[in-house]
Amino acid sequence: MSEILSSLRSLMASHSPPLDALVVPSEDYHQSEYVSARDKRREFVSGFTGSAGLALITKNEARLWTDGRYFLQAMQQLSKEWTLMRMGEDPLVEVWMSDNLPEEANIGVDSWCVSVDTANRWAKSFAKKSQNLIPTTTDLVDQVWQNRPPSEMSPVIVHPLEFAGRSVSEKLKDLRAKLKQESARGLVIAALDEVAWLYNIRGTDVAYCPVVHAFAIVTTDSAFLYVDKKKVSDETSAYFKGLGVEVREYTDVISDVALLASDQLFSSFASKSESTTKDMEIDSDQTDRLWLDPASCCYALYSKLDADKVLLQPSPLSLAKALKNPVELEGMKKAHVRDGAAVVQFLVWLDTQMQELYGASGYFVEAEANKKKQTSETSKLTEVTVSDELESLRAVKEHFRGLSFPTISSVGSNAAIIHYSPEPEACAEMDPDKIYLCDSGAQYLDGTTDITRTVHFGKPSAHEKDCYTAVFKGHVALGNARFPKGTNGYTLDILARAPLWKYGLDYRHGTGHGVGSYLCVHEGPHQVSFRPSARNVPLQATMTVTDEPGYYEDGNFGIRLENVLVVNDADTDFNFGDKGYLQFEHITWAPYQVKLIDLEQLTREEVDWLNTYHLKCKDILAPFMNQTQMEWLKKATEPVRVLV
């Protein structure tokens, strides 16, 4: 690590102008959360492997900012050269730079890897000391990264209409109507999932996210896709030609954005779009504005435009993608049924293994292990081997295409690391006397899944049961909420935390995120969170969102429960204010471990909900179970007695 920092500082000194600091973001050219191996620059320079973070290298210091999900992980992974900066507790990176770097300092960044929003925010912060944000001539990290992984060459895959639910032509028509509404003549699309959704394509360029490295530009009469043409087969090329979408090289996007700015970007298929333009009656003398999303578009592209003629606001595709069509909703529900079956089959297998190999009392019996068995290296269970078993059970399910994120398979104190990622050579062995948390998901052609269950195969402590029960109560409270239309996730977040707050407990992550339809497992623009950004977009019918409160005790254990919900219209007795009301529908199916719940703390409503949910679990998953699995599932979903 010292050698990497030394090499970067040499490049900073020789850069024109010389740099006082270098920012290394986590993001790629599309501001993605999950990036390909060759784009993990921040991981390369810092050694920190979490999905979110920002590295800052100065002449004498190296600091890394990350959020509450990764505090423990970063402390473990950062070398002595690095200082951890805790987001939400320590100063923001731009504040720290403004306060600690000298007057007129030059702060370098690869302008392809920083969003317009972020670059503008930093520039504003730097102004008070006349500090300068300097786009580097090349990415300095790439210059010192020996053996950097090669570019991905996976093919562009057409996503069938039977799964997409809406044609590209329909989506383009709706998009052009939005352009007209905002008096814009074109939209630059940088977010990978938006490009994939708009053109009904998928790929494997990024692990866990079925997307293709590509940009898109859509104007009132043309449409472009920017992608490495070696990824486009003759058949796929014909598909785009039939849509009137012109395919150009990935690297052409920078010059084409410049052409777009001067209204000199023309498509060879433009004539095919003339009828669409006429149908929409787009005014030829409309305001000469170009639309881009400042959160997902990089500063490199924005810098080619006239800032006075740019409409900086969220992409219209973000919300359109989040509002699932009927085909997508049906696919999501079916995918979650198959996925739930895999999770239950996994729990049955794991329960048996824990009893046979470790003398555990098991999933149903609340007792300490009756004997400690010595397991051989080949037979012992680890966080990695059990997660591999879960993946194998998913892999045989219809339409499976891979995991939707790295499985968080964590035992005991590792479960307190919110986004823990076990490694084969360093992971923990399963332990019947400790909590096991498994947060996992899969990509299916008809939907993306995300589920978390926390279990104990021995005797949980009273404190562990209290904490699990509080998390469960918050999980149920959010899932059962009814709320007026226009309500955002910031407002609802308290429902999941209130049972924990009663005991002075909390968790350092959001409570819910959108989920894509065979796309990214984390999808905006909506969220359920304490973060102010959760105020931006109200929840709407047909959105999907997770419900995942938790509690994490450093050095001891972690608990999280997660289901995916669909937002539906609610049939209420009254309709105050004529707003209309919404409610949630659970589409994730796997039982909760009753022995971890202190039933005396549940209300009658919570007990009724648990029994109803478990009954549905049993009935919905029964067709996938063999006799042994079905017997286990029946026992896991037996009604609990009402104690209040």
Side-chain angles (χ1 to χ4, degrees):
M1 202 59 64
S2 297
E3 184 178 336
I4 294 172
L5 291 174
S6 178
S7 297
L8 285 171
R9 285 174 176 137
S10 294
L11 290 174
M12 289 162 57
S14 61
H15 190 273
S16 180
L19 302 176
D20 297 277
L22 176 69
V23 180
V24 184
S26 297
E27 291 78 12
D28 59 10
Y29 290 6
H30 307 268
Q31 312 310 303
S32 307
E33 176 186 17
Y34 293 110
V35 301
S36 66
R38 69 183 276 102
D39 289 322
K40 294 182 178 180
R41 298 177 178 88
R42 187 263 303 146
E43 178 180 323
F44 170 74
V45 302
S46 69
F48 169 62
T49 62
S51 66
L54 179 145
L56 177 69
I57 301 165
T58 70
K59 295 176 180 179
N60 303 305
E61 293 188 78
R63 292 175 179 261
L64 180 122
W65 276 258
T66 192
D67 63 49
R69 295 172 297 169
Y70 293 113
F71 290 169
L72 286 178
Q73 181 178 335
M75 289 173 63
Q76 294 175 0
Q77 292 182 330
L78 292 176
S79 64
K80 58 182 174 55
E81 292 95 346
W82 288 86
T83 299
L84 173 63
M85 303 295 285
R86 294 170 171 82
M87 294 170 67
E89 299 178 13
D90 293 320
L92 296 171
V93 64
E94 63 266 27
V95 173
W96 190 94
M97 288 190 286
S98 177
D99 290 345
N100 291 276
L101 295 176
E103 296 268 353
E104 300 183 354
N106 292 322
I107 301 155
V109 69
D110 183 343
S111 60
W112 285 93
C113 296
V114 63
S115 72
V116 178
D117 259 351
T118 300
N120 286 342
R121 188 176 72 248
W122 290 352
K124 183 178 180 180
S125 182
F126 298 162
K128 61 184 179 182
K129 289 176 65 174
S130 300
Q131 296 165 332
N132 308 296
L133 183 63
I134 305 295
T136 56
T137 50
T138 60
D139 194 298
L140 302 192
V141 176
D142 294 351
Q143 293 186 50
V144 303
W145 192 350
Q146 301 294 324
N147 302 315
R148 183 183 173 212
S151 298
E152 297 73 17
M153 277 298 128
S154 57
V156 176
I157 301 166
V158 177
H159 192 46
L161 191 59
E162 65 177 293
F163 300 119
R166 296 194 70 214
S167 70
V168 176
S169 298
E170 290 177 291
K171 294 176 181 180
L172 285 172
K173 183 177 181 180
D174 287 350
L175 174 54
R176 288 180 172 126
K178 289 288 187 182
L179 290 175
K180 179 184 178 183
Q181 182 179 322
E182 297 293 338
S183 297
R185 61 181 174 85
L187 171 71
V188 179
I189 307 163
L192 297 181
D193 59 342
E194 291 183 12
V195 176
W197 179 85
L198 176 64
Y199 289 147
N200 285 348
I201 55 174
R202 300 293 189 269
T204 57
D205 283 355
V206 179
Y208 312 109
C209 302
V211 294
V212 180
H213 281 137
F215 292 96
I217 293 176
V218 175
T219 71
T220 53
D221 63 359
S222 59
F224 302 87
L225 174 70
Y226 298 88
V227 65
D228 188 326
K229 286 188 176 182
K230 291 191 290 292
K231 300 178 182 180
V232 183
S233 67
D234 291 343
E235 183 180 359
T236 306
S237 180
Y239 163 79
F240 286 119
K241 186 175 182 179
L243 295 170
V245 175
E246 182 159 333
V247 178
R248 296 191 175 181
E249 285 291 348
Y250 182 81
T251 52
D252 288 343
V253 67
I254 188 77
S255 57
D256 276 11
V257 166
L259 290 172
L260 180 67
S262 60
D263 203 14
Q264 297 297 309
L265 180 61
F266 304 110
S267 168
S268 58
F269 300 128
S271 59
K272 295 188 177 182
S273 303
E274 287 177 0
S275 60
T276 304
T277 306
K278 291 176 181 177
D279 289 343
M280 292 178 53
E281 297 179 354
I282 295 175
D283 192 349
S284 59
D285 62 355
Q286 64 183 347
T287 304
D288 187 28
R289 295 201 298 180
L290 296 172
W291 188 345
L292 58 81
D293 188 330
S296 61
C297 186
C298 63
Y299 193 79
L301 294 180
Y302 172 71
S303 65
K304 297 297 181 181
L305 303 175
D306 181 347
D308 293 332
K309 295 183 178 181
V310 175
L311 174 63
L312 287 176
Q313 67 181 30
S315 165
L317 299 179
S318 181
L319 179 59
K321 175 168 53 63
L323 297 172
K324 304 295 184 286
N325 64 57
V327 171
E328 289 174 321
L329 281 177
E330 183 64 20
M332 291 285 283
K333 292 177 182 180
K334 289 179 178 178
H336 278 81
V337 170
R338 298 192 302 275
D339 198 68
V343 171
V344 169
Q345 290 162 351
F346 167 68
L347 290 173
V348 175
W349 171 83
L350 186 56
D351 187 16
T352 302
Q353 293 294 304
M354 292 299 292
Q355 292 182 59
E356 292 181 354
L357 296 178
Y358 296 94
S361 56
Y363 186 90
F364 301 106
V365 179
E366 190 175 340
E368 295 180 1
N370 55 35
K371 53 181 180 285
K372 291 287 186 180
K373 293 190 175 184
Q374 296 296 322
T375 56
S376 67
E377 287 298 313
T378 56
S379 63
K380 75 176 184 180
L381 300 179
T382 70
E383 293 165 328
V384 168
T385 60
V386 299
S387 67
D388 287 346
E389 177 66 20
L390 175 54
E391 182 175 357
S392 70
L393 290 166
R394 282 186 163 116
V396 297
K397 297 293 186 279
E398 185 181 20
H399 300 321
F400 177 82
R401 288 298 181 271
L403 300 182
S404 56
F405 58 94
T407 299
I408 300 170
S409 175
S410 50
V411 175
S413 60
N414 288 340
I417 302 172
I418 297 171
H419 268 208
Y420 173 74
S421 182
E423 299 293 339
E425 62 278 359
C427 66
E429 185 174 2
M430 296 296 291
D431 190 328
D433 298 319
K434 295 179 180 178
I435 272 179
Y436 173 64
L437 184 157
C438 185
D439 184 347
S440 65
Q443 295 286 4
Y444 301 91
L445 284 174
D446 52 353
T448 301
T449 68
D450 189 358
I451 176 175
T452 308
R453 289 296 183 266
T454 302
V455 295
H456 199 302
F457 294 102
K459 185 177 181 179
S461 68
H463 177 56
E464 288 171 333
K465 292 181 68 172
D466 284 345
C467 293
Y468 183 99
T469 304
V471 172
F472 176 76
K473 287 171 73 72
H475 176 74
V476 174
L478 176 60
N480 282 350
R482 283 189 175 185
F483 47 95
K485 291 181 179 179
T487 301
N488 57 48
Y490 186 87
T491 304
L492 296 178
D493 183 72
I494 189 175
L495 296 175
R497 296 179 193 271
L500 286 158
W501 287 352
K502 180 180 178 182
Y503 299 103
L505 305 178
D506 206 347
Y507 51 96
R508 290 190 179 99
H509 59 76
T511 303
H513 57 82
V515 180
S517 175
Y518 186 39
L519 273 175
C520 300
V521 71
H522 292 163
E523 179 179 82
H526 59 291
Q527 56 183 311
V528 179
S529 177
F530 59 91
R531 296 183 178 89
S533 56
R535 298 188 182 113
N536 295 344
V537 178
L539 297 177
Q540 300 179 42
T542 74
M543 284 179 169
T544 55
V545 66
T546 60
D547 172 2
E548 49 178 313
Y551 173 67
Y552 312 90
E553 199 162 283
D554 295 357
N556 290 325
F557 63 85
I559 295 165
R560 183 162 63 252
L561 297 172
E562 177 183 19
N563 282 5
V564 173
L565 315 175
V566 174
V567 183
N568 291 330
D569 288 311
D571 183 15
T572 54
D573 292 337
F574 304 98
N575 185 19
F576 182 81
D578 292 324
K579 291 182 177 180
Y581 281 72
L582 299 170
Q583 62 187 9
F584 293 119
E585 173 190 358
H586 288 257
I587 63 172
T588 298
W589 303 107
Y592 304 92
Q593 190 176 27
V594 172
K595 85 172 187 182
L596 268 173
I597 302 174
D598 182 351
L599 296 175
E600 293 184 0
Q601 297 185 36
L602 300 190
T603 64
R604 184 178 299 274
E605 181 184 12
E606 290 164 343
V607 170
D608 289 344
W609 183 88
L610 176 62
N611 287 336
T612 300
Y613 177 84
H614 274 175
L615 179 61
K616 289 180 180 178
C617 266
K618 182 184 68 174
D619 292 343
I620 288 171
L621 300 181
F624 297 88
M625 302 292 116
N626 62 28
Q627 183 176 347
T628 300
Q629 294 162 350
M630 193 63 215
E631 289 175 359
W632 187 97
L633 181 58
K634 285 180 179 177
K635 191 170 184 180
T637 57
E638 285 178 350
V640 299
R641 185 165 56 91
V642 177
L643 301 178
V644 290

